[in-house]
Amino acid sequence: MAYTMTPTPAGPVGSQYCVCKVELSICGQNLLDRDVTSKSDPFCVLFMEVNGKWVELDRTETAVNNLNPAFAKKFIIDYHFEEVQKLKFALFDQDKSSTQLYEHDFLGEFSCTLGTIVSSKKITRTLLLGNGKPAGKGMITIAAQELSDNRVITLSMAGRKLDKKDLFGKSDPFLEFHKPGDDGKWMLVHRTEVIKYTLDPVWKPFTVPLVSLCDGDMEKLIKVVCYDYDSDGGHDFIGEFQTSVARLCEAQEASPLELECINPKKQKKKKNYKNSGIIIVKSCKITRDFSFLDYILGGCQLMFTVGIDFTASNGNPQEPSSLHYINPLGTNEYLSAIWAVGQIIQDYDSDKMFPALGFGAQLPPDWKVSHEFAINFNPRNPFCSGVEGIVQAYSACLPHIRFYGPTNFSPIINHVARFAAQATQQETASQYFILLIITDGVISDMDETRHAVVQASKLPMSIIIVGVGNADFAAMEFLDGDSRVLHSYTGEEAVRDIVQFVPFRNFRNVPKETLAKAVLAELPQQVVQYFKHQNLPPINSEPA
């Protein structure tokens, strides 16, 4: 999706991307003993950083006389992939019934991002005192679990000998599925398509979330109603029955489940009434519809690579007019883009070692043009330690290269694609590659780049392009296949849209977090789409 926005976004940006809720379980080990006559009575307080301040979200219960508590109360948080969600877990020894924290003895704290927790699923860390020193031998263990029922049910239904409702023809039957609402009334969940002119319909298979159909409770009664369609909306009632998902699951392709469709009024009137037809459950399957967080909690690592444009059109980095000029605040648009994306992605890579590549520059000692060079000048080990390492390598390389051209994207795309192709040999959902290209202008090798993107669309890989400066970025919009499918020069279509283009100029006057939300908005669905297409479940997934 080519994501553009007004300089002052209306309302909280990012809330529409909330993936789901995460449940955090907390345990403490070897906590400080603050009580003289007995052991500490610890409780844990969760804070989140909001606009630079720590805001309390929730507290656990108090574990009486226990230095190794496992708290029963869980913390539940909305998870936003495209935001840095900073959390602090602080433990206190309850001394009074006061809700004021300063009334209780401090046992230590630990801070991290929610991304760090979910990417590891479970972490154990040292508790620190206010001066940054360890709180004795005190440790905290935090475990994350996604709070969602991701099961879906796929039903294949048919009918036999349904009652004839039309004077001059047969019926036009359709089914409705209802579940009991909180108010005790039946609530419509799903309606099938209408099958015209038949008493023996076969409906198309359909899939609905199990939570929608029965609130995830396989034993809960659901009602299935059969109607004869009328174009004026006055559909004629054929019959109904009540059942449960557990009962529907008895249907096998070899032995379908048959359920009588009953019209209660006819049943009362006619002594020899049997039914108003049979509804056949041809098959019923429950599977898991895995989310992005399922893959992350399952151990999938996001492998981050940066590609930086060092072509001459950027201007001399010594001069303030250059896009590579590092201003007195120590930043420029290239660095802003690296920070915005990198600070979020780095939580999802366990070793936090990121290749950083440059293109379009002449390199010492022979001053040949390169479109794929390590900005730390170590081709055998182009990795930088964390986002800070990328920033340091970028700043250090600027004085040693000559900006040149042309602006070729395909070598760097193909470079990352080679590693993504190697990862597919594992046939597990263990790695997904993200290439961030930051550029100031028009692509010189458009045909080769289109071809490279089409080939990469078959791999566990996404490409984010951030356009800096004020150039015409029409070609970038073309690569971002939101409005049309991207084709290679050979005519081959991209299997899926893997390019996200964002012009930096749209984000100059908004909080830096807004850029990250725009740039990373589509990434979770691209990760899920790829692994589903390959029929790869999360590594540590449970059967439905």
Side-chain angles (χ1 to χ4, degrees):
M1 175 179 140
Y3 192 109
T4 55
M5 61 190 320
T6 51
T8 51
V13 177
S15 55
Q16 64 267 42
Y17 304 130
C18 177
V19 176
C20 63
K21 291 186 183 298
V22 174
E23 180 185 80
L24 301 179
S25 301
I26 313 296
C27 297
Q29 297 92 34
N30 302 316
L31 300 183
L32 287 172
D33 196 351
R34 297 290 197 193
D35 291 351
V36 179
T37 54
S38 63
K39 293 174 181 167
S40 292
D41 305 321
F43 64 96
C44 182
V45 184
L46 171 65
F47 298 88
M48 180 180 273
E49 189 178 86
V50 180
N51 298 327
K53 292 178 182 171
W54 290 112
V55 176
E56 180 177 338
L57 293 187
D58 206 353
R59 300 182 182 193
T60 65
E61 79 281 10
T62 297
V64 178
N65 215 11
N66 191 343
L67 301 183
N68 299 284
F71 297 106
K73 167 81 183 278
K74 313 294 184 190
F75 295 135
I76 295 170
I77 306 176
D78 283 346
Y79 167 74
H80 299 265
F81 165 70
E82 67 293 331
E83 291 178 19
V84 176
Q85 294 175 273
K86 288 185 182 168
L87 304 177
K88 180 162 75 176
F89 301 85
L91 286 133
F92 294 87
D93 170 23
Q94 180 161 350
D95 281 341
K96 304 180 179 70
S97 58
S98 170
T99 57
Q100 300 297 323
L101 291 176
Y102 63 79
E103 298 270 12
H104 308 284
D105 291 329
F106 179 56
L107 299 176
E109 66 186 25
F110 167 68
S111 302
C112 68
T113 62
L114 183 55
T116 300
I117 301 168
V118 299
S119 65
S120 303
K121 198 168 185 180
K122 189 177 188 179
I123 61 172
T124 300
R125 297 288 187 272
T126 303
L127 287 168
L128 301 176
L129 296 171
N131 58 9
K133 291 182 178 174
K137 293 180 181 175
M139 308 286 282
I140 186 169
T141 298
I142 307 159
Q145 184 176 356
E146 182 175 1
L147 262 197
S148 71
D149 187 338
N150 58 14
R151 292 173 298 171
V152 293
I153 182 167
T154 302
L155 286 163
S156 186
M157 312 285 289
R160 187 175 71 240
K161 294 184 179 174
L162 297 178
D163 281 359
K164 181 181 163 191
K165 289 288 180 181
D166 293 348
L167 273 174
F168 302 108
K170 298 180 178 179
S171 294
D172 305 318
F174 67 92
L175 297 177
E176 284 188 351
F177 290 75
H178 300 252
K179 69 175 177 184
D182 294 336
D183 56 1
K185 294 176 182 172
W186 290 101
M187 190 169 94
L188 178 64
V189 174
H190 180 78
R191 182 183 287 124
T192 67
E193 79 280 17
V194 176
I195 307 290
K196 290 275 192 179
Y197 316 122
T198 180
L199 303 180
D200 303 298
V202 177
W203 290 282
K204 288 177 189 168
F206 65 91
T207 301
V208 290
L210 201 60
V211 169
S212 299
L213 185 60
C214 61
D215 299 325
D217 180 354
M218 308 267 282
E219 302 299 333
K220 180 176 270 192
L221 277 181
I222 59 172
K223 183 168 77 169
V224 182
V225 189
C226 185
Y227 288 101
D228 168 36
Y229 173 82
D230 271 343
S231 56
D232 63 3
H235 310 308
D236 295 319
F237 175 70
I238 294 176
E240 66 183 27
F241 60 89
Q242 292 186 20
T243 184
S244 67
V245 170
R247 178 98 168 90
L248 296 177
C249 285
E250 293 172 18
Q252 303 292 331
E253 301 213 359
S255 59
L257 178 67
E258 299 197 350
L259 297 156
E260 286 188 308
C261 196
I262 303 294
N263 182 329
K265 286 184 180 175
K266 278 192 176 182
Q267 196 176 34
K268 276 185 183 175
K269 281 182 185 175
K270 295 183 180 178
K271 281 187 179 176
N272 60 349
Y273 174 83
K274 277 181 83 176
N275 57 52
S276 294
I278 301 291
I279 299 295
I280 304 158
V281 185
K282 293 166 66 182
S283 73
C284 173
K285 287 182 187 151
I286 294 178
T287 52
R288 290 196 181 273
D289 185 18
F290 294 112
S291 70
F292 173 71
L293 197 50
D294 287 321
Y295 285 102
I296 295 298
L297 288 168
C300 181
Q301 297 274 298
L302 301 185
M303 317 300 281
F304 181 46
T305 301
V306 178
I308 301 173
D309 179 344
F310 290 112
T311 54
S313 53
N314 282 278
N316 182 346
Q318 310 284 307
E319 295 172 8
S321 59
S322 169
L323 292 165
H324 280 291
Y325 173 75
I326 297 176
N327 64 30
L329 296 173
T331 189
N332 60 30
E333 291 191 358
Y334 279 89
L335 287 171
S336 297
I338 291 168
W339 273 115
V341 179
Q343 68 175 344
I344 287 167
I345 303 262
Q346 69 176 350
D347 282 344
Y348 300 87
D349 185 332
S350 55
D351 68 4
K352 301 193 180 358
M353 297 298 291
F354 307 120
L357 308 173
F359 59 93
Q362 294 175 317
L363 305 186
D366 53 5
W367 302 109
K368 281 187 179 168
V369 177
S370 173
H371 297 291
E372 182 192 338
F373 65 91
I375 65 171
N376 65 0
F377 300 116
N378 185 349
R380 290 188 177 177
N381 185 11
F383 296 91
C384 301
S385 178
V387 183
E388 294 90 345
I390 298 173
V391 170
Q392 286 165 9
Y394 166 78
S395 304
C397 88
L398 283 174
H400 301 290
I401 59 175
R402 291 178 189 163
F403 289 16
Y404 204 69
T407 307
N408 290 354
F409 276 19
S410 60
I412 277 186
I413 295 172
N414 290 329
H415 173 101
V416 175
R418 284 194 292 276
F419 290 96
Q422 283 175 7
T424 61
Q425 293 168 13
Q426 297 176 34
E427 295 186 352
T428 58
S430 56
Q431 291 182 321
Y432 193 92
F433 291 77
I434 294 143
L435 170 61
L436 169 65
I437 298 176
I438 314 169
T439 182
D440 81 318
V442 182
I443 303 172
S444 307
D445 63 337
M446 193 59 181
D447 282 352
E448 291 82 358
T449 294
R450 276 167 51 202
H451 187 68
V453 169
V454 168
Q455 298 312 309
S457 72
K458 305 169 194 170
L459 299 170
M461 176 173 168
S462 289
I463 301 166
I464 295 164
I465 303 172
V466 176
V468 296
N470 295 312
D472 175 11
F473 292 121
M476 309 298 178
E477 302 277 8
F478 176 72
L479 287 176
D480 187 337
D482 275 347
S483 51
R484 66 182 96 61
V485 177
L486 183 70
H487 289 77
S488 166
Y489 59 80
T490 62
E492 186 180 359
E493 283 189 358
V495 178
R496 56 198 184 96
D497 175 18
I498 63 165
V499 176
Q500 173 85 335
F501 168 69
V502 169
F504 189 91
R505 58 179 170 239
N506 290 6
F507 298 87
R508 281 179 189 146
N509 303 314
V510 295
K512 62 181 188 302
E513 296 82 12
T514 316
L515 174 65
K517 289 171 187 173
V519 166
L520 296 170
E522 287 184 0
L523 189 67
Q525 80 191 51
Q526 288 175 355
V527 172
V528 171
Q529 189 185 30
Y530 173 78
F531 288 129
K532 277 189 183 168
H533 192 258
Q534 301 297 316
N535 288 320
L536 292 173
I539 301 165
N540 303 318
S541 61
E542 299 168 8

